[in-house]
């Protein structure tokens, strides 16, 4: 029996409470707002006391409960191509089947569709499809891509203006309330506090052994702050509790918690780029911890905010701060910067290697990752590993293939460390994703 | 003095030679023709042609290599589930075919092109690389201010690079040059709808692709010559259905595929293959403030033709497609999208729902720019054409 840390139960309670509150939202007269995770405006939404829904979260939760395949097939029957993002199809399939969410509760329809369009073009297409389904208010926030790696004053001003002229008026319309700037500031101050603790937790992986797994554990850590809880008292409590637990693990010299208990022997320290697979999340994780591989840093945990790289919300400049947050999310950054972030993390966390997990669904992450692989190798002198699957489409997850690739990659890292001569895993000249029947 | 009208064969041969010249020799020749001339590559779909041209730079649309070169190195940069365009574009660059270009503009067409912009920065440091994220917001004032700023920055940067002054007069001239080209583009669209038997899709396509990399007035002259020669053909209409081709706005289908679809019984009378060089709404019109950049911005934001890469603010793309089908007198729609193209493929169900409601027949298939097998597509297009002819439905 694995000993659970209190923060795990706390997070479970948070999530259950969220879905329960969502279920009551209509009865309690709280408007429901559908929005996306990266670049979300949760503090602003909370200032209006609306109930946010994140379709990606529903998709990943459905996948973890093995329900996504049916939804994807449903969307494909409805005319959607096998080629396109499976998050979109999972959501549309779920909608076609009555919009019953991952916990079995029906997700209420939106009063406002709020597209904060950060870091992914497909969001826009997804949003257009969702809008067809609902007769409700729509607000679009176009967050420009930071193509040259610099957030310019013009970009910030553009986002702020849209907040003032488009997003806030729409929120005021659906709620019948005026924006309370003090309330927003208070939310942002609490966000900052939780961000401080979360960043500390991620930075703890610089120690040996690392007390956390910043990828497989990290996806749990980011759950509350990437979604509805940023800016809430609950989030502050959760992150303080998490930090306390990690401090204890650190003091005790313990490794990260895995589904099979604490990892005893940290053999490899890895940095990971790309989202995880959700349909076989546990099996995927096991491949790593079975080999004593700990993920000491990851980029996926920065898609909803680059906290460990220093971003903090700023209550003194609320709208500008929201703009900066949207602009600086990881997938809104250009590839050279993403490569440098990876390279910096390899150095900062003294990683033995880095692994790119490329997912079929996500062009935002995946297009160009083989280039990043070469770039990070060039910048660090460390060889990288490359594996492929999908987010929520189980047809594209091949356990044996991924296990094989990770094991040979780790062997190569081991040989490198000990001066042995295991050749590097073959560089994919042309990569083929195998569809698992 | 008498001028001899070129034969249509000679014109088409010239267009073909331009198309096949992956080294862009005609762009090189243009640049060498005078001082202060640059050439700037533009990825699909929309690029600020007037702004680039005003800076003394020839906009050159780079729409992948199609099947004109074999993609080997570019493939090593992309997983199998990414479309083909970025691979062949990289291949063109890596093999030096794009050496004539001084820079590249990457519009935010999708995440693949977006990410390619970063790869370009690292791989081709000699190029000025600019990413352009045209506003997708429904909020017009902030959109206009932002786009004005972005285009002004681009204009100034290109002018500085080219050693010319970024004066408004340059923008005025560029607007007039493209307005002249747009007049002929509209004539071309009308002529092909009127007499598709005299303007086969392959030739129209080559002509529009020539617009990808020609000074606008030169292209307008060439297009007028082609229109005159095509009209003089005097061919007889055949028993084919008339279709709009939708979804091929970025990665291009092989020419042989277009020919196959037409031979199978369809006249392609309208397409979205080269949206960036076509008028997609009214031309820029100078406002009271006399600011030509503001006119370019306003025209950009007023685009009336929906496309999968522009936010469909009112959810009207399906209705507008259906109206377009009616306006051009098409019998149906052929959806042809590149494999793994999220924008095109995610649009299709929204569009087909409206076509279904209005009983407009359609068929759909996917391709890659280097597809070599057309049998299945030919058969599908043939069956589609037959069933529309017989029953008026697919
Ligand atoms: S493409 Fe990627 S970021 Fe965009 S919706 Fe799909 S999974 Fe999310
Ligand atoms: S073909 Fe589609 S996915 Fe590929 S680059 Fe073009 S728009 Fe993007």
């Amino acid at each position: 029996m694995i000993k659970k840390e209190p923060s795990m139960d706390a997070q479970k309670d948070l999530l259950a409470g969220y879905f329960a509150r969502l279920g009551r939202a209509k009865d309690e007269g709280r408007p429901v707002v559908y929005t996306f995770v990266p670049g979300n405006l949760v503090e602003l939404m909370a200032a209006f006391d609306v109930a946010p829904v994140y379709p990606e979260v529903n998709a990943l939760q459905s996948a973890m409960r093995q329900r996504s395949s049916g939804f994807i097939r449903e969307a494909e029957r409805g005319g959607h191509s096998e080629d396109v993002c499976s998050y979109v199809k999972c959501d549309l399939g779920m909608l076609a089947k009555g919009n019953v969410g991952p916990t079995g509760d029906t997700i209420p329809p939106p009063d406002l569709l709020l597209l904060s369009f950060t870091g992914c073009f497909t969001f826009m297409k997804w949003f257009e499809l969702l809008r067809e389904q609902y007769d409700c208010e729509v607000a679009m926030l176009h967050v420009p891509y930071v193509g040259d790696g610099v957030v310019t004053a013009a970009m910030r001003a553009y986002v702020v203006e849209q907040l003032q002229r488009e997003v806030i008026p729409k929120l005021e319309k659906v709620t019948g309330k005026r924006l309370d700037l003090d309330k927003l500031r208070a939310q942002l101050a609490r966000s900052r506090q939780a961000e401080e603790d979360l960043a500390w937790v991620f930075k703890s992986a610089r120690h040996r052994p690392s007390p956390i797994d910043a990828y497989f554990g990290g996806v749990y850590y980011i759950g509350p702050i990437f979604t509805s809880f940023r800016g809430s008292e609950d989030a502050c409590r959760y992150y303080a509790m998490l930090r306390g637990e990690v401090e204890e693990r650190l003091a005790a010299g313990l490794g990260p918690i895995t589904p099979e208990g604490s990892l005893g022997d940290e053999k490899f320290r890895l940095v990971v780029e790309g989202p995880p697979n959700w349909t076989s999340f546990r099996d995927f994780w096991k491949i790593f911890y079975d080999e004593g591989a700990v993920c000491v840093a990851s980029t996926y945990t920065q898609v909803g905010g680059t906290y460990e790289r220093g971003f903090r919300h700023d209550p003194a400049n609320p709208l500008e701060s929201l703009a900066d947050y949207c602009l600086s999310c990881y997938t809104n950054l250009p590839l050279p910067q993403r490569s440098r972030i990876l390279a910096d993390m390899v150095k900062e966390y003294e990683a033995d290697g880095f692994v790119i997990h490329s997912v079929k669904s996500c062009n935002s992450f995946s297009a160009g990752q083989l280039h990043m692989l070469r770039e990070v190798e060039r910048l660090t002198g460390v060889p990288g590993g490359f594996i492929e699957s999908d987010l929520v489409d189980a047809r594209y997850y091949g356990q044996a293939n991924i296990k094989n690739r990770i094991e040979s990659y780790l062997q190569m890292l081991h040989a490198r460390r000990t001066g042995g001569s295991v050749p590097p895993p073959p560089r994919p000249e042309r990569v083929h994703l195998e569809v698992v029947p | 003095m008498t001028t001899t009208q070129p034969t249509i064969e000679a014109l088409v041969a010239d267009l073909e030679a331009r198309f096949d010249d992956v080294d862009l020799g005609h762009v090189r020749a243009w640049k060498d023709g005078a001082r202060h001339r640059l050439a700037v590559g533009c990825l699909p779909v929309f690029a600020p042609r007037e702004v680039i041209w005003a800076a003394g730079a020839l906009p050159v649309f780079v729409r992948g290599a199609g099947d004109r070169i074999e993609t080997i190195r570019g493939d090593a940069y992309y997983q199998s589930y990414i479309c083909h365009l970025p691979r062949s574009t990289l291949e063109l660059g890596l093999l030096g075919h794009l050496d004539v270009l001084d820079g590249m503009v990457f519009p935010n067409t999708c995440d693949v092109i977006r990410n390619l912009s970063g790869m370009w920065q690292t791989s081709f440091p000699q190029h000025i690389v600019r990413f352009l994220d045209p506003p997708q917001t429904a909020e017009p004032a902030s959109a206009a201010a932002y786009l004005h700023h972005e285009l002004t920055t681009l204009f100034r940067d290109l002018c500085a690079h080219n050693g010319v002054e970024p004066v408004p007069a340059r923008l005025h001239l560029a607007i007039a040059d493209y307005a002249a080209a747009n007049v002929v583009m509209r004539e071309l669209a009308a002529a092909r709808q009127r007499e598709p038997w005299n303007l086969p899709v392959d030739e129209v396509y080559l002509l529009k692709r020539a617009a990808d990399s020609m000074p606008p007035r030169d292209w307008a002259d060439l297009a007028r010559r082609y229109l005159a020669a095509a009209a003089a053909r005097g061919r007889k209409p055949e028993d084919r259905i008339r279709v709009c081709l939708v979804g091929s706005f970025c990665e291009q289908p092989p020419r042989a595929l277009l020919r196959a679809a037409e031979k199978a019984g369809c006249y392609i009378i309208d397409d979205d293959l080269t949206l960036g060089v076509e008028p997609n709404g009214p031309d820029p019109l100078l406002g009271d403030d006399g600011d030509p950049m503001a006119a370019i911005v306003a025209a950009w934001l007023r685009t009336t033709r929906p496309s999968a890469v522009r936010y469909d603010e009112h959810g009207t793309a399906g209705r507008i497609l259906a109206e377009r089908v009616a306006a051009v007198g098409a019998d149906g729609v052929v959806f042809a999208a590149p494999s793994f193209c999220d924008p095109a493929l995610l649009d299709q169900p929204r569009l087909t729902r409206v076509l279904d409601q209005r009983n407009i027949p359609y068929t759909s298939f996917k391709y890659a720019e280097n597809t070599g097998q057309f049998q299945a597509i030919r058969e599908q297009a043939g069956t589609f054409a037959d069933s529309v002819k017989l029953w008026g439905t697919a």
Side-chain angles (χ1 to χ4, degrees):
Chain A
M1 175 78 180
I2 301 157
K3 183 180 160 288
K4 275 194 168 179
E5 307 247 290
S7 68
M8 294 178 184
D9 286 327
Q11 180 167 155
K12 226 175 159 182
D13 292 346
L14 281 180
L15 200 66
Y18 160 75
F19 279 109
R21 264 200 321 282
L22 187 60
R24 296 193 305 269
K26 294 278 176 185
D27 292 339
E28 292 172 357
R30 293 168 70 222
V32 173
V33 178
Y34 286 18
T35 194
F36 292 114
V37 169
N40 69 56
L41 302 168
V42 66
E43 294 88 352
L44 190 62
M45 291 188 278
F48 282 100
D49 197 25
V50 299
V53 172
Y54 301 90
E56 308 108 296
V57 176
N58 294 337
L60 80 86
Q61 293 283 348
S62 297
M64 288 180 109
R65 291 163 170 82
Q66 313 306 320
R67 298 179 63 206
S68 55
S69 296
F71 294 151
I72 290 169
R73 265 193 284 278
E74 182 69 26
E76 288 177 357
R77 271 196 293 274
H80 285 282
S81 168
E82 204 183 296
D83 290 0
V84 303
C85 171
S86 57
Y87 263 12
V88 182
K89 286 184 289 187
C90 184
D91 183 44
L92 295 173
M94 188 176 101
L95 193 58
K97 289 193 161 214
N99 219 17
V100 177
T103 54
D105 300 310
T106 302
I107 311 268
D111 299 286
L112 172 69
L113 287 170
L114 169 56
L115 172 61
S116 41
F117 168 36
T118 309
C120 163
F121 198 88
T122 299
F123 280 146
M124 191 177 85
K125 307 309 294 173
W126 188 349
F127 190 72
E128 288 171 346
L129 285 157
L130 273 183
R131 196 206 23 220
E132 250 192 355
Q133 309 283 331
Y134 300 108
D135 182 22
C136 70
E137 285 292 338
V138 174
M140 159 69 133
L141 175 68
H142 173 215
V143 179
Y145 181 61
V146 184
D148 303 325
V150 182
V151 173
T152 63
M155 288 175 182
R156 186 178 295 118
Y158 173 48
V159 177
V160 168
E161 276 189 25
Q162 291 177 78
L163 290 173
Q164 289 166 330
R165 292 179 175 163
E166 166 82 355
V167 177
I168 294 171
K170 289 274 167 61
L171 280 164
E172 289 181 337
K173 188 169 174 197
V174 296
T175 58
K177 295 176 189 162
R178 298 302 302 267
L179 171 63
D180 180 342
L181 212 51
D182 289 336
K183 200 169 169 186
L184 175 60
R185 285 204 171 95
Q187 292 285 139
L188 292 167
R190 285 190 293 270
S191 293
R192 195 183 178 96
Q193 186 185 331
E195 287 157 5
E196 209 55 64
D197 283 338
L198 176 65
W200 185 92
V201 167
F202 279 126
K203 292 282 182 190
S204 73
R206 284 187 294 198
H207 292 85
R208 283 175 188 268
S210 167
I212 62 161
D213 186 296
Y215 185 55
F216 294 105
V219 298
Y220 290 99
Y221 304 155
I222 58 175
I225 210 159
F226 275 19
T227 57
S228 312
F229 301 97
R230 205 175 61 234
S232 69
E233 301 280 3
D234 283 344
C236 292
R237 270 193 298 277
Y238 168 77
Y239 285 103
M241 182 189 285
L242 178 66
R243 179 173 175 162
E245 288 166 3
V246 175
E247 278 170 346
E248 280 175 26
R249 300 185 72 75
L250 200 57
L254 294 174
I257 297 174
T258 75
E260 294 177 27
S262 277
L263 187 88
D265 187 10
E266 178 186 282
K267 293 197 186 116
F268 299 99
R269 296 168 64 82
L270 301 176
V271 169
V272 184
E273 145 82 8
N277 164 273
W278 299 113
T279 50
S280 301
F281 183 78
R282 286 281 174 97
D283 293 338
F284 187 34
W285 189 354
K286 187 170 166 55
I287 295 172
F288 288 77
Y289 67 71
D290 273 355
E291 298 293 322
V294 177
C295 304
V296 287
S298 86
T299 53
Y300 182 66
T301 50
Q302 300 179 41
V303 283
T306 44
Y307 307 118
E308 64 178 284
R309 303 191 61 247
F311 177 81
R312 297 289 181 274
H313 282 91
D314 175 10
N317 297 293
L319 299 189
E320 290 75 9
S321 170
L322 288 173
D324 285 344
Y325 161 70
C326 295
L327 285 158
S328 65
C329 287
Y330 176 73
T331 46
N332 206 45
L333 305 177
L335 255 54
Q337 204 168 348
R338 280 172 54 182
S339 302
R340 273 197 302 277
I341 290 173
L342 267 170
D344 288 350
M345 292 195 306
V346 168
K347 289 176 193 158
E348 180 182 350
Y349 291 86
E350 296 178 349
D352 303 295
F354 67 96
V355 172
I356 295 181
H357 177 226
S358 180
V359 291
K360 172 187 170 284
S361 273
C362 187
N363 285 344
S364 171
F365 257 109
S366 306
Q369 276 177 328
L370 284 165
H371 174 81
M372 287 175 69
L373 177 77
R374 291 171 173 83
E375 272 302 288
V376 179
E377 286 180 342
R378 185 180 67 78
L379 291 165
T380 59
V382 171
F386 199 87
I387 50 174
E388 298 168 272
S389 75
D390 191 47
L391 294 158
V392 294
D393 193 337
R395 291 172 294 188
Y396 296 98
Y397 181 81
Q399 176 81 3
N401 186 299
I402 292 178
K403 188 166 161 44
N404 210 349
R405 275 186 173 248
I406 290 295
E407 283 174 0
S408 30
Y409 176 64
L410 296 176
Q411 273 172 27
M412 191 264 289
L413 289 184
H414 177 71
R416 206 170 165 261
R417 195 191 281 160
T418 54
S421 65
V422 175
R427 233 333 126 270
E429 274 307 309
R430 183 169 185 139
V431 182
H432 282 287
L433 191 70
E434 284 156 37
V435 179
V436 181
Chain B
M1 193 177 99
T2 54
T3 51
T4 356
Q5 186 69 16
T7 64
I8 190 107
E9 290 76 18
L11 277 168
V12 173
D14 175 49
L15 291 172
E16 220 147 27
R18 278 174 187 277
F19 181 83
D20 287 334
D21 179 10
V22 286
D23 286 319
L24 299 166
H26 51 286
V27 175
R28 168 83 60 203
W30 177 81
K31 268 178 77 175
D32 291 345
R35 290 177 62 228
H36 300 299
R37 283 184 173 181
L38 302 177
V40 172
C42 305
L43 268 284
V45 174
F46 297 105
R49 292 185 300 164
E50 289 95 341
V51 176
I52 296 170
W53 182 235
L58 183 65
V60 177
F61 272 89
V62 179
R63 302 184 193 274
D67 52 4
R68 292 171 297 172
I69 60 167
E70 196 185 351
T71 305
I72 297 165
R73 288 207 263 174
D75 262 351
Y77 284 89
Y78 284 101
Q79 304 89 313
S80 55
Y81 39 86
I82 309 273
C83 63
H84 206 271
L85 175 128
R87 309 157 192 268
S88 66
T89 302
L90 262 183
E91 189 88 17
L92 284 171
L94 294 170
L95 294 178
H97 294 304
L98 302 179
D99 283 355
V100 68
L101 301 180
D102 301 281
M104 288 281 257
V105 171
F106 292 81
N108 197 1
T109 291
C110 69
D111 294 327
V112 174
I113 287 182
R114 190 196 77 167
N115 288 1
L116 181 61
S117 72
M119 292 168 71
W120 214 268
Q121 287 168 26
T122 318
S123 308
F124 304 98
Q126 73 277 20
H127 279 171
I128 320 162
V129 178
R130 287 289 179 277
F131 183 81
L132 186 70
D133 202 347
Q136 301 280 9
T137 176
E139 205 294 293
S142 29
Y146 179 66
L147 187 56
H148 196 289
H149 175 273
E150 295 298 288
L151 294 184
T152 303
T153 308
L154 177 68
F155 181 48
R156 290 204 180 122
D157 288 355
L158 289 178
C159 283
H161 197 80
N162 200 15
V164 297
E165 280 298 309
V167 289
R170 291 186 150 274
L171 289 163
H172 284 294
L173 286 175
I175 289 172
D177 286 349
Y178 277 105
N182 281 349
V183 168
V184 189
M185 251 326 162
R186 290 185 180 102
E187 285 171 17
L188 175 66
R192 116 194 249 211
Q193 284 157 30
R194 225 173 26 243
E195 303 178 341
W197 42 92
N198 281 330
L199 292 92
V201 65
D202 189 32
E203 291 178 10
V204 173
Y205 179 64
L206 285 172
L207 184 59
K208 292 207 286 182
R209 288 296 301 268
D212 277 352
S213 56
M214 280 181 80
R217 289 188 191 268
D218 292 357
W219 180 83
D221 290 344
L222 173 69
R224 278 195 206 286
R225 289 200 297 277
Y226 171 79
L227 280 170
R233 261 183 173 141
R235 285 182 180 164
K236 294 270 177 293
E238 290 176 22
D239 182 23
R240 299 188 194 175
I241 62 163
R242 296 159 61 90
V243 297
C244 297
L245 186 77
V246 174
S248 314
F249 47 82
C250 183
E251 179 177 321
Q252 302 286 291
R255 284 172 54 208
L257 188 152
L258 297 175
R259 284 194 296 263
E262 211 161 65
K263 284 218 174 78
C266 305
Y267 282 126
I268 297 173
I269 53 162
D270 184 64
D271 63 66
D272 59 5
L273 289 155
T274 51
L275 288 181
V277 296
E278 294 181 49
N280 292 294
D283 292 338
L285 265 182
L286 220 52
D288 294 340
D289 60 2
D291 173 4
M293 193 63 92
I296 292 170
V297 166
W300 186 304
L301 298 176
R302 261 201 324 262
T303 299
T304 47
R305 183 169 181 178
S307 92
V309 302
R310 302 283 299 262
Y311 174 47
D312 183 13
E313 184 189 339
H314 302 293
T316 47
R319 177 174 63 73
I320 293 173
L321 173 62
E323 287 168 3
R324 191 173 182 95
V325 167
V328 300
D331 302 298
V333 174
V334 172
F335 288 98
S339 295
F340 303 107
C341 176
D342 265 14
L345 293 168
L346 283 167
D347 247 22
Q348 261 184 37
R350 284 199 314 127
L351 301 177
T352 54
R353 265 195 281 282
V354 180
L355 299 186
D356 281 334
Q357 285 158 12
R358 302 192 180 202
N359 293 320
I360 297 172
Y362 60 86
T363 188
S364 59
F365 54 78
K366 292 188 289 187
Y367 62 83
E369 61 179 1
N370 60 347
T371 303
Q373 299 295 323
F374 307 111
Q375 188 52 28
I377 289 171
R378 195 178 298 130
E379 279 168 16
Q380 194 180 332
T383 312
F384 177 65
D386 289 345
S387 54
V388 172
K389 274 187 255 174
L390 280 172
W391 300 296
T393 178

